[in-house]
């Protein structure tokens, strides 16, 4: 039977870039380029709450780092490194290896070396905690409090697919295997928008990743920036794979569906061309969906120009 230290040595210790001290000592060490600040964020993933017990461990490894990188992206930060805390009820080396391979896929893709962590045994469920570190120019960091009245509101990628996949897997919607096939990638292997966040930071004012749903997360920007927003439902970039789904369900998925690791940002009107160019260069859809207004509320206009009465809520772990 492998020990805690065997597991770490076998699966969570790979060389880190020169100039850094990775796992193996009491702390990791890394430098930040002159003039930059450290951007850091942490996310906890619990079995049954954030992922299904039978999830493919390779995909879970990808997602565990992706959701954290998404926070760096929303700040416009460049990844430096990450820490991984993992609690396992038992050692299943096949599972751990697949998880580590998935995790390292994103470590390599985004140059975000694993530089330490903690490994422990849990009573029953798996718990995963990842902390990321990035570097950002504090003058360019896209804070939630930086939106300005008159700004355009933009969103990256497509909306709704993760929510539809999750609903089917939870049995809240009739299972359609072909539809699940087309939507589960969005749920299980989100793409953190690191390059987009970095490029946008030269133009955008405020940004957020919409992991708890567009409407709810945009409200965080509105509150922090003391302003409001108007959105147009017809402009929302609904995932093309969702064609044919009931419009009311699509509205719910696009406005409130969680587990979306896309960015929503505000930017001055004169940045439109530059932002469209960034989207083209990165081959990432970028869509203008509304604007920032002084009236401190979120208004969503439907396709005939009437404001929606009951905006669907996003995700909240403690809402009953
Ligand atoms: P300490 O007792 O000082 O907390 P540990 O015995 O927990 O150290 O960990 C030993 C080393 O292995 C540390 O450098 C730690 O960062 C690293 N480590 C432990 N678990 C992980 C993990 N899951 N992934 C990466 N590094 C890890
Ligand atoms: Mg420890």
């Amino acid at each position: 039977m492998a020990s805690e230290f065997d597991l770490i040595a076998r699966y969570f210790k790979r060389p880190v870039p020169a100039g850094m001290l990775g796992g193996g000592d009491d702390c990791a060490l890394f430098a930040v380029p002159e003039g930059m600040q450290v951007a850091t964020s942490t996310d906890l993933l619990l079995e049954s709450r954030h992922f299904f017990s039978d999830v493919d461990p390779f995909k879970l490894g990808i997602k565990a780092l992706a959701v954290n990188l998404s926070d760096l992206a929303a700040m416009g930060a460049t990844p430096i490194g990450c820490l991984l805390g993992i609690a396992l009820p038992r050692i299943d080396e096949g599972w751990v290896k697949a998880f580590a391979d998935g995790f390292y896929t994103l470590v390599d893709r985004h140059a975000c070396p694993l530089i330490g962590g903690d490994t422990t045994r849990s009573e029953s469920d798996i718990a995963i905690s990842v902390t990321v570190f990035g570097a950002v120019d504090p003058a360019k960091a896209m804070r939630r409090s930086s939106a300005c009245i008159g700004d355009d509101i933009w969103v990256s990628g497509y909306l709704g697919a993760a929510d539809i996949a999750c609903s089917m897997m939870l049995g809240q919607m009739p299972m359609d295997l072909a539809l699940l096939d087309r939507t589960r990638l969005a749920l299980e292997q989100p793409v953190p928008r690191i390059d987009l966040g970095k490029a946008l930071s030269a133009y955008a004012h405020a940004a957020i990743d919409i992991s708890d749903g567009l409407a709810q997360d945009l409200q965080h920007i509105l509150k922090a920036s003391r302003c409001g927003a108007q959105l147009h439902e017809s402009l929302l970039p609904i995932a093309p794979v969702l064609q044919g789904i009931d419009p009311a369900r699509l509205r719910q998925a696009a406005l409130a569906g969680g587990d979306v690791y896309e960015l929503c940002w505000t930017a001055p009107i004169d940045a439109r061309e530059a932002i469209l160019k960034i989207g083209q260069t990165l081959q990432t859809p970028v869509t203008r969906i509304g604007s920032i207004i002084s009236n401190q509320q979120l208004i969503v206009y439907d396709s005939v120009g009437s404001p929606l009465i009951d905006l669907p809520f996003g995700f909240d772990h403690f809402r009953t």
Side-chain angles (χ1 to χ4, degrees):
M1 177 57 112
S3 74
E4 169 190 337
F5 300 101
D6 295 333
L7 269 196
I8 298 167
R10 271 178 217 162
Y11 303 110
F12 298 118
K13 201 165 189 311
R14 296 190 193 173
V16 299
M20 291 181 110
L21 180 63
D25 215 313
D26 295 307
C27 287
L29 299 175
F30 59 84
V32 197
E34 176 112 27
M36 305 288 251
Q37 287 191 339
V38 175
T40 184
S41 176
T42 196
D43 258 316
L44 195 55
L45 285 127
L46 302 181
E47 182 175 351
S48 302
R49 183 144 259 297
H50 301 94
F51 59 91
F52 297 101
S53 299
D54 61 353
V55 69
D56 175 346
F58 181 84
K59 291 177 181 167
L60 182 62
I62 290 182
K63 185 159 178 176
L65 186 49
V67 302
N68 279 275
L69 287 168
S70 179
D71 285 316
L72 290 183
M75 215 68 191
T78 303
I80 295 176
C82 62
L83 301 174
L84 168 66
I86 185 161
L88 301 163
R90 76 198 80 80
I91 291 176
D92 171 347
E93 285 206 48
W95 193 98
V96 176
K97 180 181 186 312
F99 175 86
D101 285 344
F103 196 90
Y104 272 102
T105 301
L106 278 216
V107 163
D108 295 338
R109 190 175 299 157
H110 294 284
C112 187
L114 178 60
I115 54 176
D118 201 22
T119 305
T120 182
R121 183 170 185 162
S122 65
E123 230 16 81
S124 57
D125 287 346
I126 298 171
I128 296 158
S129 167
V130 177
T131 301
V132 280
F133 302 97
V136 70
D137 175 346
K140 288 193 192 156
M142 298 182 288
R143 297 159 207 250
R144 295 179 183 185
S145 55
S146 305
C148 299
I149 291 158
D151 276 0
D152 290 323
I153 301 173
W154 297 75
V155 71
S156 65
Y158 295 109
L159 304 173
D163 186 54
I164 296 294
C166 192
S167 288
M168 282 190 286
M169 290 165 92
L170 288 170
Q172 295 166 345
M173 212 178 130
M175 177 57 82
D176 171 339
L177 285 175
L179 182 60
L180 182 64
D181 221 41
R182 286 182 275 135
T183 52
R184 70 186 303 167
L185 201 69
L187 178 70
E188 294 179 338
Q189 293 178 74
V191 177
R193 300 295 191 186
I194 290 288
D195 291 338
L196 179 64
K198 280 161 63 177
L200 286 177
S201 68
Y203 302 96
H205 288 153
I208 193 165
D209 70 328
I210 52 171
S211 50
D212 292 328
L214 172 63
Q216 179 164 308
D217 281 325
L218 175 57
Q219 306 241 34
H220 293 309
I221 289 184
L222 304 184
K223 192 159 179 225
S225 300
R226 295 202 190 86
C227 56
Q230 53 182 22
L231 300 184
H232 301 280
E233 191 182 11
S234 58
L235 298 179
L236 298 179
I238 306 284
V241 296
L242 300 182
Q243 230 177 14
I245 292 183
D246 167 54
R249 182 67 189 85
L250 276 188
R251 171 184 291 168
Q252 160 86 23
L255 287 172
D259 250 322
V260 188
Y261 296 91
E262 295 297 347
L263 301 183
C264 173
W265 66 96
T266 82
I269 289 174
D270 62 13
R272 282 180 187 173
E273 220 170 297
I275 289 173
L276 289 173
K277 187 106 186 283
I278 288 170
Q280 262 170 13
T281 307
L282 298 176
Q283 296 184 317
T284 303
V286 292
T287 310
R288 205 147 45 77
I289 58 172
S291 53
I292 294 291
I293 56 176
S294 56
N295 181 352
Q296 292 187 23
Q297 55 176 320
L298 172 60
I299 308 168
V300 183
Y301 293 101
D302 67 13
S303 53
V304 296
S306 307
L308 298 183
I309 307 295
D310 274 324
L311 276 186
F313 273 112
F315 191 71
D316 179 335
H317 284 282
F318 294 101
R319 186 177 291 137
T320 46

